[in-house]
Amino acid sequence: MRLRRRPWIAGAIAAYKDFVFLKDSFTPAGLKGEWTKIFGNDAPLYVELGTGKGDFICQAAARHPEINFLGIELQQDIIYYAARKINEADLKNVRLAVFDINGIDELFNDGEVNRFYINFCDPWPKKRHAKRRLTYITFLEKYHKLLASSGELFFKTDNKSLFDFSLEQFALAGCDVRSVSYDLHAQGCACEDFVTEYERKFSGFGEKINRCEVVFP
């Protein structure tokens, strides 16, 4: 997701600095291993990789105040809208970070995360860009190290090619894949789920939503 640059956001987002780690205002080493102190409790940590405008993480955090949620997003101009929603909902169990997911292993200690969410990430459709996909094996190996024992990854996409590719990568990583759906809204889901802004828009156009839950060995 990309937005036209809005220069005013650089000033406006500073109002949320109590729960948003802004670009150039922190070092990953200063956060790594410190998440229980940052949240002020030892609740499980769920991390959304690519938070967008925050619909998903706001719903999840409101439903589960007993969980700590961290949303990571590369683009500060997008994460501003997530920060505004979190502030308006007065959610105390959410933090946001403007950060490049390529360096995810710099942000957490091994075993520090209980669950990752990947919702509608960039599919990088060209074959030569496969290594950039967030479900590529090298990313999965990083997630595995950062996840606690039997940690999970919940994955959703409207791109079937990316979904099929991801299922292959999950198998390559030795993961147990559960609750696989190629048409989530038609088939229903016995599991708990929250709708992203992207999902709401494209499912309205008749796009099928693919979803699965992945447990690492």
Side-chain angles (χ1 to χ4, degrees):
M1 180 190 299
R2 294 191 178 275
L3 295 176
R4 181 179 300 174
R5 181 169 174 74
R6 291 171 168 79
W8 58 268
I9 285 179
I13 199 171
Y16 308 126
K17 63 183 179 180
D18 288 348
F19 63 91
V20 182
F21 296 97
L22 300 174
K23 194 179 300 182
D24 302 325
S25 70
F26 71 94
T27 61
L31 305 180
K32 188 173 185 176
E34 300 295 324
W35 290 104
T36 56
K37 293 181 182 178
I38 290 166
F39 282 96
N41 60 64
D42 59 358
L45 178 61
Y46 289 5
V47 179
E48 185 182 18
L49 303 176
T51 297
K53 293 184 178 180
D55 276 16
F56 181 92
I57 202 167
C58 284
Q59 293 172 67
R63 181 76 61 84
H64 292 287
E66 77 283 5
I67 303 293
N68 293 330
F69 289 87
L70 171 66
I72 299 175
E73 174 61 52
L74 180 61
Q75 299 182 67
Q76 182 167 288
D77 282 13
I78 291 178
I79 211 170
Y80 163 77
Y81 296 96
R84 189 171 66 183
K85 290 173 184 174
I86 290 163
N87 182 66
E88 290 173 351
D90 195 27
L91 297 170
K92 305 301 185 184
N93 58 328
V94 187
R95 301 292 185 275
L96 301 174
V98 181
F99 190 72
D100 186 344
I101 294 167
N102 283 290
I104 191 71
D105 50 349
E106 301 172 18
L107 206 54
F108 305 101
N109 275 343
D110 291 359
E112 196 170 10
V113 180
N114 297 92
R115 180 183 294 171
F116 284 113
Y117 293 103
I118 300 177
N119 295 314
F120 302 94
C121 61
D122 191 331
W124 293 104
K126 294 182 180 179
K127 188 174 181 179
R128 68 176 183 271
H129 292 155
K131 292 183 179 180
R132 300 184 186 182
R133 299 168 188 162
L134 294 185
T135 53
Y136 187 70
I137 185 65
T138 53
F139 278 106
L140 298 182
E141 289 168 349
K142 291 183 180 182
Y143 308 151
H144 189 186
K145 286 183 61 180
L146 301 178
L147 284 166
S149 178
S150 299
E152 304 170 307
L153 185 155
F154 286 9
F155 177 57
K156 279 200 294 187
T157 179
D158 62 321
N159 188 299
K160 185 177 181 298
S161 294
L162 175 62
F163 193 64
D164 288 339
F165 168 86
S166 300
L167 293 178
E168 294 173 359
Q169 297 295 296
F170 297 147
L172 186 61
C175 298
D176 180 15
V177 183
R178 306 171 182 173
S179 302
V180 177
S181 175
Y182 282 93
D183 193 351
L184 178 63
H185 292 183
Q187 297 172 356
C189 181
C191 54
E192 182 178 55
D193 193 34
F194 305 99
V195 178
T196 74
E197 60 272 11
Y198 187 101
E199 180 179 358
R200 187 177 299 109
K201 176 181 177 180
F202 284 89
S203 62
F205 293 155
E207 298 286 345
K208 294 180 179 179
I209 306 302
N210 309 279
R211 184 186 185 277
C212 66
E213 299 178 1
V214 180
V215 179
F216 285 77

Short mmCIF file of all heavy atoms in Angstrom, two decimals, residues 48-109:
data_model
loop_
_atom_site.label_atom_id
_atom_site.label_comp_id
_atom_site.label_asym_id
_atom_site.label_seq_id
_atom_site.Cartn_x
_atom_site.Cartn_y
_atom_site.Cartn_z
N GLU A 48 2.16 -7.75 14.02
CA GLU A 48 1.64 -7.67 12.66
C GLU A 48 2.70 -7.06 11.76
O GLU A 48 3.18 -5.95 11.98
CB GLU A 48 0.37 -6.82 12.59
CG GLU A 48 -0.26 -6.84 11.19
CD GLU A 48 -1.50 -5.97 11.07
OE1 GLU A 48 -1.72 -5.09 11.93
OE2 GLU A 48 -2.24 -6.18 10.08
N LEU A 49 3.07 -7.80 10.72
CA LEU A 49 4.10 -7.37 9.78
C LEU A 49 3.43 -6.67 8.60
O LEU A 49 2.90 -7.31 7.70
CB LEU A 49 4.92 -8.58 9.31
CG LEU A 49 5.60 -9.38 10.42
CD1 LEU A 49 6.29 -10.61 9.85
CD2 LEU A 49 6.59 -8.52 11.19
N GLY A 50 3.45 -5.34 8.61
CA GLY A 50 2.75 -4.56 7.59
C GLY A 50 1.39 -4.17 8.11
O GLY A 50 0.37 -4.77 7.76
N THR A 51 1.35 -3.15 8.95
CA THR A 51 0.12 -2.79 9.65
C THR A 51 -0.85 -1.97 8.81
O THR A 51 -2.05 -1.95 9.07
CB THR A 51 0.48 -2.01 10.94
OG1 THR A 51 1.22 -2.89 11.79
CG2 THR A 51 -0.73 -1.51 11.65
N GLY A 52 -0.33 -1.29 7.78
CA GLY A 52 -1.21 -0.45 6.97
C GLY A 52 -1.87 0.62 7.82
O GLY A 52 -1.25 1.22 8.70
N LYS A 53 -3.16 0.86 7.59
CA LYS A 53 -3.88 1.91 8.30
C LYS A 53 -4.48 1.44 9.63
O LYS A 53 -5.22 2.18 10.28
CB LYS A 53 -4.98 2.47 7.40
CG LYS A 53 -4.43 3.23 6.21
CD LYS A 53 -5.56 3.86 5.39
CE LYS A 53 -5.02 4.67 4.22
NZ LYS A 53 -6.11 5.29 3.43
N GLY A 54 -4.18 0.20 10.02
CA GLY A 54 -4.46 -0.20 11.39
C GLY A 54 -5.79 -0.83 11.72
O GLY A 54 -6.07 -1.11 12.90
N ASP A 55 -6.65 -1.10 10.75
CA ASP A 55 -7.96 -1.69 11.07
C ASP A 55 -7.81 -3.02 11.80
O ASP A 55 -8.48 -3.29 12.80
CB ASP A 55 -8.78 -1.90 9.80
CG ASP A 55 -9.54 -0.64 9.39
OD1 ASP A 55 -9.19 0.44 9.90
OD2 ASP A 55 -10.46 -0.73 8.55
N PHE A 56 -6.94 -3.87 11.28
CA PHE A 56 -6.78 -5.21 11.84
C PHE A 56 -6.27 -5.15 13.27
O PHE A 56 -6.86 -5.74 14.19
CB PHE A 56 -5.83 -6.04 10.97
CG PHE A 56 -5.63 -7.45 11.45
CD1 PHE A 56 -6.44 -8.47 10.99
CD2 PHE A 56 -4.64 -7.75 12.37
CE1 PHE A 56 -6.26 -9.78 11.43
CE2 PHE A 56 -4.45 -9.05 12.82
CZ PHE A 56 -5.26 -10.07 12.36
N ILE A 57 -5.18 -4.44 13.49
CA ILE A 57 -4.56 -4.45 14.81
C ILE A 57 -5.46 -3.77 15.84
O ILE A 57 -5.49 -4.18 17.02
CB ILE A 57 -3.15 -3.82 14.76
CG1 ILE A 57 -2.32 -4.30 15.96
CG2 ILE A 57 -3.20 -2.29 14.70
CD1 ILE A 57 -0.84 -3.98 15.84
N CYS A 58 -6.23 -2.78 15.43
CA CYS A 58 -7.16 -2.13 16.36
C CYS A 58 -8.26 -3.09 16.80
O CYS A 58 -8.61 -3.15 17.98
CB CYS A 58 -7.76 -0.89 15.73
SG CYS A 58 -6.64 0.53 15.67
N GLN A 59 -8.81 -3.84 15.86
CA GLN A 59 -9.85 -4.81 16.19
C GLN A 59 -9.31 -5.89 17.13
O GLN A 59 -9.95 -6.25 18.12
CB GLN A 59 -10.40 -5.46 14.92
CG GLN A 59 -11.16 -4.54 14.00
CD GLN A 59 -11.49 -5.25 12.69
OE1 GLN A 59 -12.28 -6.19 12.66
NE2 GLN A 59 -10.88 -4.80 11.61
N ALA A 60 -8.13 -6.41 16.77
CA ALA A 60 -7.54 -7.49 17.56
C ALA A 60 -7.21 -7.03 18.98
O ALA A 60 -7.48 -7.74 19.96
CB ALA A 60 -6.29 -8.02 16.86
N ALA A 61 -6.63 -5.84 19.09
CA ALA A 61 -6.23 -5.33 20.40
C ALA A 61 -7.44 -5.01 21.27
O ALA A 61 -7.42 -5.22 22.49
CB ALA A 61 -5.35 -4.10 20.23
N ALA A 62 -8.50 -4.49 20.66
CA ALA A 62 -9.72 -4.20 21.41
C ALA A 62 -10.37 -5.47 21.93
O ALA A 62 -10.89 -5.52 23.05
CB ALA A 62 -10.69 -3.42 20.54
N ARG A 63 -10.34 -6.52 21.13
CA ARG A 63 -10.94 -7.80 21.53
C ARG A 63 -10.09 -8.50 22.60
O ARG A 63 -10.63 -9.24 23.44
CB ARG A 63 -11.06 -8.70 20.29
CG ARG A 63 -11.68 -10.07 20.54
CD ARG A 63 -13.18 -10.01 20.70
NE ARG A 63 -13.82 -9.50 19.50
CZ ARG A 63 -14.14 -10.25 18.43
NH1 ARG A 63 -13.84 -11.55 18.43
NH2 ARG A 63 -14.73 -9.70 17.40
N HIS A 64 -8.77 -8.26 22.56
CA HIS A 64 -7.87 -9.00 23.45
C HIS A 64 -6.95 -8.06 24.24
O HIS A 64 -5.76 -7.94 23.96
CB HIS A 64 -7.03 -9.98 22.64
CG HIS A 64 -7.81 -11.11 22.06
ND1 HIS A 64 -8.31 -12.14 22.83
CD2 HIS A 64 -8.22 -11.35 20.79
CE1 HIS A 64 -8.99 -12.99 22.06
NE2 HIS A 64 -8.95 -12.52 20.82
N PRO A 65 -7.50 -7.41 25.25
CA PRO A 65 -6.66 -6.53 26.08
C PRO A 65 -5.59 -7.28 26.86
O PRO A 65 -4.66 -6.67 27.39
CB PRO A 65 -7.68 -5.86 27.01
CG PRO A 65 -8.84 -6.80 27.05
CD PRO A 65 -8.91 -7.41 25.68
N GLU A 66 -5.72 -8.60 26.94
CA GLU A 66 -4.74 -9.42 27.66
C GLU A 66 -3.52 -9.75 26.82
O GLU A 66 -2.59 -10.42 27.29
CB GLU A 66 -5.40 -10.72 28.16
CG GLU A 66 -5.62 -11.80 27.10
CD GLU A 66 -6.79 -11.57 26.15
OE1 GLU A 66 -7.43 -10.49 26.23
OE2 GLU A 66 -7.07 -12.47 25.33
N ILE A 67 -3.49 -9.30 25.56
CA ILE A 67 -2.39 -9.53 24.64
C ILE A 67 -1.71 -8.21 24.31
O ILE A 67 -2.37 -7.18 24.17
CB ILE A 67 -2.89 -10.19 23.33
CG1 ILE A 67 -3.63 -11.49 23.61
CG2 ILE A 67 -1.73 -10.42 22.36
CD1 ILE A 67 -2.78 -12.60 24.14
N ASN A 68 -0.38 -8.23 24.17
CA ASN A 68 0.35 -7.07 23.69
C ASN A 68 0.49 -7.17 22.18
O ASN A 68 0.87 -8.22 21.66
CB ASN A 68 1.74 -7.00 24.31
CG ASN A 68 1.70 -6.74 25.80
OD1 ASN A 68 0.79 -6.09 26.30
ND2 ASN A 68 2.69 -7.24 26.52
N PHE A 69 0.20 -6.08 21.46
CA PHE A 69 0.27 -6.07 20.00
C PHE A 69 1.29 -5.03 19.54
O PHE A 69 1.31 -3.89 20.03
CB PHE A 69 -1.09 -5.74 19.39
CG PHE A 69 -2.11 -6.83 19.54
CD1 PHE A 69 -2.91 -6.91 20.68
CD2 PHE A 69 -2.27 -7.79 18.55
CE1 PHE A 69 -3.85 -7.91 20.82
CE2 PHE A 69 -3.21 -8.81 18.69
CZ PHE A 69 -4.00 -8.87 19.83
N LEU A 70 2.10 -5.43 18.58
CA LEU A 70 3.03 -4.51 17.94
C LEU A 70 2.77 -4.54 16.44
O LEU A 70 2.76 -5.60 15.82
CB LEU A 70 4.48 -4.93 18.21
CG LEU A 70 5.55 -4.16 17.42
CD1 LEU A 70 5.60 -2.70 17.84
CD2 LEU A 70 6.92 -4.82 17.59
N GLY A 71 2.57 -3.36 15.86
CA GLY A 71 2.40 -3.25 14.42
C GLY A 71 3.64 -2.63 13.79
O GLY A 71 4.13 -1.60 14.26
N ILE A 72 4.16 -3.27 12.76
CA ILE A 72 5.35 -2.79 12.07
C ILE A 72 4.97 -2.36 10.66
O ILE A 72 4.30 -3.10 9.94
CB ILE A 72 6.44 -3.88 12.01
CG1 ILE A 72 6.86 -4.28 13.44
CG2 ILE A 72 7.66 -3.41 11.22
CD1 ILE A 72 7.84 -5.43 13.48
N GLU A 73 5.41 -1.19 10.27
CA GLU A 73 5.09 -0.64 8.95
C GLU A 73 6.26 0.22 8.49
O GLU A 73 6.78 1.03 9.25
CB GLU A 73 3.80 0.18 9.01
CG GLU A 73 3.44 0.92 7.75
CD GLU A 73 3.20 0.00 6.57
OE1 GLU A 73 2.40 -0.95 6.71
OE2 GLU A 73 3.83 0.23 5.52
N LEU A 74 6.66 0.06 7.23
CA LEU A 74 7.80 0.80 6.71
C LEU A 74 7.48 2.26 6.45
O LEU A 74 8.32 3.14 6.63
CB LEU A 74 8.30 0.13 5.42
CG LEU A 74 9.49 0.79 4.72
CD1 LEU A 74 10.71 0.80 5.63
CD2 LEU A 74 9.81 0.06 3.41
N GLN A 75 6.25 2.53 6.04
CA GLN A 75 5.89 3.88 5.60
C GLN A 75 5.23 4.69 6.73
O GLN A 75 4.13 4.38 7.16
CB GLN A 75 4.95 3.80 4.40
CG GLN A 75 5.58 3.10 3.20
CD GLN A 75 4.64 3.08 2.01
OE1 GLN A 75 4.34 4.12 1.45
NE2 GLN A 75 4.18 1.90 1.65
N GLN A 76 5.93 5.72 7.17
CA GLN A 76 5.43 6.56 8.25
C GLN A 76 4.12 7.24 7.89
O GLN A 76 3.24 7.41 8.73
CB GLN A 76 6.48 7.61 8.60
CG GLN A 76 6.09 8.52 9.75
CD GLN A 76 7.26 9.33 10.27
OE1 GLN A 76 8.15 8.80 10.91
NE2 GLN A 76 7.27 10.62 9.96
N ASP A 77 3.96 7.62 6.62
CA ASP A 77 2.73 8.30 6.20
C ASP A 77 1.51 7.39 6.30
O ASP A 77 0.38 7.88 6.40
CB ASP A 77 2.87 8.83 4.77
CG ASP A 77 3.68 10.12 4.72
OD1 ASP A 77 4.32 10.46 5.73
OD2 ASP A 77 3.69 10.79 3.66
N ILE A 78 1.72 6.08 6.26
CA ILE A 78 0.61 5.14 6.43
C ILE A 78 0.35 4.85 7.90
O ILE A 78 -0.79 4.85 8.37
CB ILE A 78 0.88 3.83 5.66
CG1 ILE A 78 0.82 4.07 4.15
CG2 ILE A 78 -0.14 2.75 6.05
CD1 ILE A 78 1.13 2.84 3.33
N ILE A 79 1.41 4.64 8.64
CA ILE A 79 1.24 4.24 10.04
C ILE A 79 0.60 5.35 10.88
O ILE A 79 0.02 5.11 11.93
CB ILE A 79 2.59 3.79 10.65
CG1 ILE A 79 2.36 2.72 11.71
CG2 ILE A 79 3.40 4.95 11.18
CD1 ILE A 79 3.63 2.03 12.18
N TYR A 80 0.67 6.58 10.39
CA TYR A 80 0.01 7.69 11.08
C TYR A 80 -1.47 7.40 11.27
O TYR A 80 -2.04 7.66 12.35
CB TYR A 80 0.18 8.99 10.28
CG TYR A 80 -0.79 10.07 10.70
CD1 TYR A 80 -0.58 10.80 11.86
CD2 TYR A 80 -1.94 10.34 9.95
CE1 TYR A 80 -1.50 11.77 12.27
CE2 TYR A 80 -2.84 11.30 10.35
CZ TYR A 80 -2.62 12.02 11.51
OH TYR A 80 -3.53 12.96 11.91
N TYR A 81 -2.12 6.86 10.24
CA TYR A 81 -3.56 6.59 10.32
C TYR A 81 -3.86 5.48 11.32
O TYR A 81 -4.89 5.51 12.01
CB TYR A 81 -4.10 6.25 8.93
CG TYR A 81 -3.97 7.41 7.97
CD1 TYR A 81 -2.89 7.51 7.11
CD2 TYR A 81 -4.90 8.45 7.98
CE1 TYR A 81 -2.74 8.60 6.25
CE2 TYR A 81 -4.77 9.54 7.13
CZ TYR A 81 -3.68 9.61 6.28
OH TYR A 81 -3.54 10.70 5.45
N ALA A 82 -2.96 4.51 11.42
CA ALA A 82 -3.11 3.47 12.44
C ALA A 82 -2.96 4.08 13.83
O ALA A 82 -3.74 3.77 14.75
CB ALA A 82 -2.07 2.38 12.23
N ALA A 83 -1.99 4.96 13.99
CA ALA A 83 -1.76 5.60 15.29
C ALA A 83 -2.98 6.42 15.72
O ALA A 83 -3.38 6.40 16.88
CB ALA A 83 -0.52 6.49 15.21
N ARG A 84 -3.58 7.11 14.77
CA ARG A 84 -4.76 7.93 15.08
C ARG A 84 -5.91 7.06 15.56
O ARG A 84 -6.61 7.39 16.53
CB ARG A 84 -5.16 8.75 13.86
CG ARG A 84 -6.23 9.79 14.15
CD ARG A 84 -6.43 10.71 12.97
NE ARG A 84 -6.99 10.01 11.82
CZ ARG A 84 -7.22 10.58 10.64
NH1 ARG A 84 -6.90 11.86 10.44
NH2 ARG A 84 -7.75 9.89 9.64
N LYS A 85 -6.12 5.91 14.90
CA LYS A 85 -7.19 5.00 15.31
C LYS A 85 -6.93 4.42 16.70
O LYS A 85 -7.86 4.30 17.52
CB LYS A 85 -7.32 3.86 14.29
CG LYS A 85 -7.87 4.30 12.95
CD LYS A 85 -7.81 3.15 11.94
CE LYS A 85 -8.26 3.62 10.56
NZ LYS A 85 -8.08 2.57 9.53
N ILE A 86 -5.70 4.07 16.96
CA ILE A 86 -5.34 3.50 18.27
C ILE A 86 -5.57 4.52 19.37
O ILE A 86 -6.09 4.22 20.44
CB ILE A 86 -3.88 3.02 18.24
CG1 ILE A 86 -3.76 1.78 17.34
CG2 ILE A 86 -3.37 2.72 19.64
CD1 ILE A 86 -2.35 1.47 16.92
N ASN A 87 -5.19 5.75 19.10
CA ASN A 87 -5.38 6.82 20.07
C ASN A 87 -6.86 7.08 20.33
O ASN A 87 -7.29 7.22 21.48
CB ASN A 87 -4.70 8.09 19.57
CG ASN A 87 -4.80 9.23 20.56
OD1 ASN A 87 -4.24 9.18 21.65
ND2 ASN A 87 -5.52 10.28 20.18
N GLU A 88 -7.66 7.12 19.26
CA GLU A 88 -9.09 7.37 19.41
C GLU A 88 -9.78 6.25 20.19
O GLU A 88 -10.74 6.49 20.93
CB GLU A 88 -9.72 7.55 18.04
CG GLU A 88 -9.31 8.84 17.33
CD GLU A 88 -9.81 8.92 15.89
OE1 GLU A 88 -10.33 7.89 15.39
OE2 GLU A 88 -9.66 9.99 15.28
N ALA A 89 -9.30 5.02 20.00
CA ALA A 89 -9.89 3.87 20.70
C ALA A 89 -9.30 3.68 22.09
O ALA A 89 -9.75 2.80 22.84
CB ALA A 89 -9.69 2.60 19.88
N ASP A 90 -8.30 4.48 22.43
CA ASP A 90 -7.64 4.43 23.75
C ASP A 90 -7.14 3.02 24.06
O ASP A 90 -7.36 2.48 25.15
CB ASP A 90 -8.61 4.90 24.84
CG ASP A 90 -7.90 5.22 26.15
OD1 ASP A 90 -6.71 5.59 26.10
OD2 ASP A 90 -8.53 5.10 27.22
N LEU A 91 -6.45 2.43 23.09
CA LEU A 91 -5.91 1.08 23.25
C LEU A 91 -4.53 1.16 23.89
O LEU A 91 -3.58 1.69 23.30
CB LEU A 91 -5.83 0.39 21.89
CG LEU A 91 -7.17 0.17 21.18
CD1 LEU A 91 -6.94 -0.30 19.74
CD2 LEU A 91 -8.03 -0.83 21.95
N LYS A 92 -4.40 0.61 25.08
CA LYS A 92 -3.16 0.69 25.83
C LYS A 92 -2.22 -0.48 25.54
O LYS A 92 -1.06 -0.46 25.97
CB LYS A 92 -3.45 0.73 27.33
CG LYS A 92 -4.40 1.85 27.76
CD LYS A 92 -3.86 3.23 27.39
CE LYS A 92 -4.76 4.33 27.94
NZ LYS A 92 -4.31 5.68 27.51
N ASN A 93 -2.71 -1.48 24.83
CA ASN A 93 -1.92 -2.69 24.59
C ASN A 93 -1.36 -2.77 23.17
O ASN A 93 -1.08 -3.85 22.66
CB ASN A 93 -2.77 -3.94 24.87
CG ASN A 93 -4.03 -4.01 24.02
OD1 ASN A 93 -4.61 -2.98 23.68
ND2 ASN A 93 -4.45 -5.22 23.68
N VAL A 94 -1.17 -1.60 22.55
CA VAL A 94 -0.63 -1.55 21.18
C VAL A 94 0.56 -0.60 21.12
O VAL A 94 0.53 0.48 21.69
CB VAL A 94 -1.68 -1.08 20.16
CG1 VAL A 94 -1.14 -1.21 18.73
CG2 VAL A 94 -2.97 -1.86 20.29
N ARG A 95 1.58 -1.03 20.39
CA ARG A 95 2.69 -0.16 20.04
C ARG A 95 2.89 -0.30 18.52
O ARG A 95 2.56 -1.32 17.92
CB ARG A 95 3.99 -0.56 20.75
CG ARG A 95 3.90 -0.54 22.27
CD ARG A 95 3.74 0.85 22.83
NE ARG A 95 3.78 0.86 24.29
CZ ARG A 95 2.74 0.64 25.08
NH1 ARG A 95 1.55 0.39 24.55
NH2 ARG A 95 2.86 0.66 26.40
N LEU A 96 3.43 0.75 17.92
CA LEU A 96 3.72 0.75 16.49
C LEU A 96 5.18 1.12 16.27
O LEU A 96 5.76 1.88 17.05
CB LEU A 96 2.84 1.77 15.75
CG LEU A 96 1.32 1.59 15.86
CD1 LEU A 96 0.61 2.77 15.20
CD2 LEU A 96 0.88 0.28 15.22
N ALA A 97 5.76 0.59 15.19
CA ALA A 97 7.15 0.92 14.85
C ALA A 97 7.28 1.13 13.36
O ALA A 97 6.80 0.31 12.56
CB ALA A 97 8.10 -0.19 15.31
N VAL A 98 7.90 2.23 12.98
CA VAL A 98 8.25 2.47 11.58
C VAL A 98 9.58 1.76 11.36
O VAL A 98 10.63 2.18 11.85
CB VAL A 98 8.38 3.97 11.28
CG1 VAL A 98 8.73 4.19 9.82
CG2 VAL A 98 7.09 4.70 11.64
N PHE A 99 9.53 0.65 10.62
CA PHE A 99 10.70 -0.23 10.57
C PHE A 99 10.64 -1.11 9.32
O PHE A 99 9.57 -1.47 8.85
CB PHE A 99 10.74 -1.12 11.83
CG PHE A 99 12.00 -1.90 12.00
CD1 PHE A 99 13.17 -1.27 12.38
CD2 PHE A 99 12.02 -3.27 11.80
CE1 PHE A 99 14.35 -1.99 12.55
CE2 PHE A 99 13.18 -4.01 11.97
CZ PHE A 99 14.35 -3.37 12.35
N ASP A 100 11.82 -1.45 8.80
CA ASP A 100 11.94 -2.33 7.63
C ASP A 100 11.95 -3.78 8.10
O ASP A 100 12.85 -4.20 8.84
CB ASP A 100 13.23 -2.00 6.88
CG ASP A 100 13.36 -2.76 5.57
OD1 ASP A 100 12.64 -3.75 5.36
OD2 ASP A 100 14.20 -2.35 4.75
N ILE A 101 10.98 -4.56 7.66
CA ILE A 101 10.83 -5.94 8.09
C ILE A 101 12.03 -6.80 7.71
O ILE A 101 12.29 -7.84 8.32
CB ILE A 101 9.51 -6.53 7.54
CG1 ILE A 101 8.32 -5.80 8.17
CG2 ILE A 101 9.39 -8.02 7.82
CD1 ILE A 101 6.99 -6.07 7.49
N ASN A 102 12.80 -6.37 6.73
CA ASN A 102 14.00 -7.12 6.37
C ASN A 102 14.94 -7.28 7.57
O ASN A 102 15.70 -8.25 7.64
CB ASN A 102 14.74 -6.43 5.23
CG ASN A 102 14.07 -6.68 3.89
OD1 ASN A 102 14.10 -7.79 3.37
ND2 ASN A 102 13.45 -5.66 3.34
N GLY A 103 14.89 -6.35 8.50
CA GLY A 103 15.75 -6.42 9.68
C GLY A 103 15.03 -6.92 10.91
O GLY A 103 15.43 -6.61 12.04
N ILE A 104 13.99 -7.72 10.73
CA ILE A 104 13.13 -8.15 11.83
C ILE A 104 13.90 -8.82 12.96
O ILE A 104 13.56 -8.67 14.15
CB ILE A 104 12.01 -9.10 11.31
CG1 ILE A 104 10.94 -9.35 12.38
CG2 ILE A 104 12.59 -10.40 10.79
CD1 ILE A 104 10.08 -8.16 12.66
N ASP A 105 14.96 -9.54 12.63
CA ASP A 105 15.72 -10.23 13.67
C ASP A 105 16.56 -9.28 14.53
O ASP A 105 17.14 -9.70 15.53
CB ASP A 105 16.60 -11.33 13.08
CG ASP A 105 17.43 -10.86 11.91
OD1 ASP A 105 17.20 -9.74 11.40
OD2 ASP A 105 18.33 -11.61 11.48
N GLU A 106 16.61 -8.01 14.15
CA GLU A 106 17.31 -7.01 14.96
C GLU A 106 16.40 -6.43 16.04
O GLU A 106 16.86 -5.73 16.94
CB GLU A 106 17.81 -5.86 14.08
CG GLU A 106 18.77 -6.28 12.98
CD GLU A 106 19.07 -5.13 12.02
OE1 GLU A 106 18.82 -3.97 12.40
OE2 GLU A 106 19.54 -5.40 10.91
N LEU A 107 15.11 -6.73 15.95
CA LEU A 107 14.11 -6.07 16.80
C LEU A 107 13.66 -6.93 17.99
O LEU A 107 13.09 -6.41 18.95
CB LEU A 107 12.89 -5.71 15.94
CG LEU A 107 11.99 -4.55 16.34
CD1 LEU A 107 12.78 -3.27 16.53
CD2 LEU A 107 10.90 -4.35 15.28
N PHE A 108 13.91 -8.25 17.90
CA PHE A 108 13.45 -9.16 18.94
C PHE A 108 14.54 -10.16 19.32
O PHE A 108 15.35 -10.55 18.48
CB PHE A 108 12.23 -9.96 18.46
CG PHE A 108 11.09 -9.13 17.97
CD1 PHE A 108 10.88 -8.97 16.61
CD2 PHE A 108 10.23 -8.50 18.85
CE1 PHE A 108 9.83 -8.20 16.13
CE2 PHE A 108 9.18 -7.72 18.39
CZ PHE A 108 8.98 -7.57 17.04
N ASN A 109 14.50 -10.61 20.55
CA ASN A 109 15.31 -11.74 20.97
C ASN A 109 14.68 -13.03 20.45
O ASN A 109 13.48 -13.07 20.16
CB ASN A 109 15.40 -11.82 22.49
CG ASN A 109 16.52 -10.95 23.05
OD1 ASN A 109 17.42 -10.53 22.33
ND2 ASN A 109 16.45 -10.68 24.35
#
